[in-house]
Amino acid sequence: MNIGYCFTGSFCTFEKSMEALKALVRDGHNVTPIMSENAYTMDTRFGDAVDIQNRLIEITGNSIIHTIEQAEPIGPKKMFDVLAIIPCTGNTLAKLANGITDTSVTMAAKSHLRNSRPVVIGVSTNDALGAAAKNIGMLLNYKNYYFVPFGMDNCIMKPKSMVCDFERVSETIEAAEKGIEINKKIF
């Protein structure tokens, strides 16, 4: 498969997401990294932007799509069989649910969806059971959106936070490409 694999600003989950990305590459998929502008440019306590960029290029062997202009041709050129947004922040969930296209990742999704192709969402947000809940609910009901199973990651310290099960990313992507929704059972 040709897979577009998007990173948004949930920096604390980048390591787990990169492990899922490595598994896709090991399985023989051609994966192109896509990063939101914030994910592409911000140095954080979880890593320097340039180091993360270099790792993604090394893992995939492909250049990073990181601007709206670079993402726009995804749909017209039918570049990907599946587009995955893992991690997908509450901010990106809101934009997707409400049709806002102002980042490279939301443009990638909009462009990809024009061909009725699957978009896989890997939730990672501290407000999944708060402000983001309505957006998750909307996207769960939209055609061509598929979710990596997700659940609470720390119910005591972060009672509204949820994150996807990164070990099920490959399974979800492979099922979504066939139009199959895997079990949404929360772990």
Side-chain angles (χ1 to χ4, degrees):
M1 262 188 290
N2 289 314
I3 301 169
Y5 196 100
C6 305
F7 283 77
T8 65
S10 179
F11 301 100
C12 62
T13 61
F14 276 18
E15 283 301 319
K16 288 181 181 180
S17 190
M18 281 194 224
E19 290 304 314
L21 176 63
K22 287 177 189 176
L24 290 167
V25 171
R26 274 193 308 270
D27 288 345
H29 301 295
N30 177 37
V31 184
T32 300
I34 302 168
M35 298 181 82
S36 69
E37 288 77 358
N38 286 339
Y40 186 78
T41 61
M42 286 187 171
D43 294 331
T44 71
R45 64 189 172 108
F46 300 103
D48 293 336
V50 171
D51 293 339
I52 292 166
Q53 293 167 22
N54 289 335
R55 286 179 62 200
L56 290 174
I57 293 166
E58 181 181 326
I59 292 166
T60 64
N62 290 313
S63 299
I64 300 169
I65 293 173
H66 61 92
T67 68
I68 291 172
E69 294 83 2
Q70 293 170 328
E72 187 277 329
I74 288 171
K77 291 184 177 181
K78 297 183 178 178
M79 292 172 62
F80 306 121
D81 301 304
V82 176
L83 184 80
I85 306 173
I86 305 167
C88 187
T89 62
N91 188 47
T92 300
L93 289 164
K95 290 176 180 190
L96 293 171
N98 291 287
I100 298 169
T101 308
D102 64 352
T103 71
S104 51
V105 171
T106 56
M107 175 55 82
K110 175 186 174 184
S111 187
H112 181 75
L113 284 165
R114 73 182 263 167
N115 299 312
S116 297
R117 291 188 176 185
V119 173
V120 172
I121 302 291
V123 170
S124 181
T125 177
N126 286 326
D127 68 346
L129 295 174
K134 65 182 176 187
N135 299 315
I136 292 170
M138 288 170 63
L139 290 170
L140 282 167
N141 286 294
Y142 286 175
K143 188 175 180 180
N144 298 314
Y145 280 94
Y146 300 83
F147 280 72
V148 178
F150 58 98
M152 296 181 80
D153 59 319
N154 185 339
C155 63
I156 304 299
M157 300 299 291
K158 302 188 299 182
K160 294 183 180 182
S161 181
M162 296 183 96
V163 67
C164 71
D165 182 350
F166 289 95
E167 292 182 10
R168 296 189 72 188
V169 167
S170 291
E171 171 190 5
T172 305
I173 289 172
E174 290 171 8
E177 194 268 332
K178 296 176 181 123
I180 299 168
E181 181 79 56
I182 67 167
N183 184 348
K184 291 182 187 173
K185 180 179 179 185
I186 295 174
F187 61 92

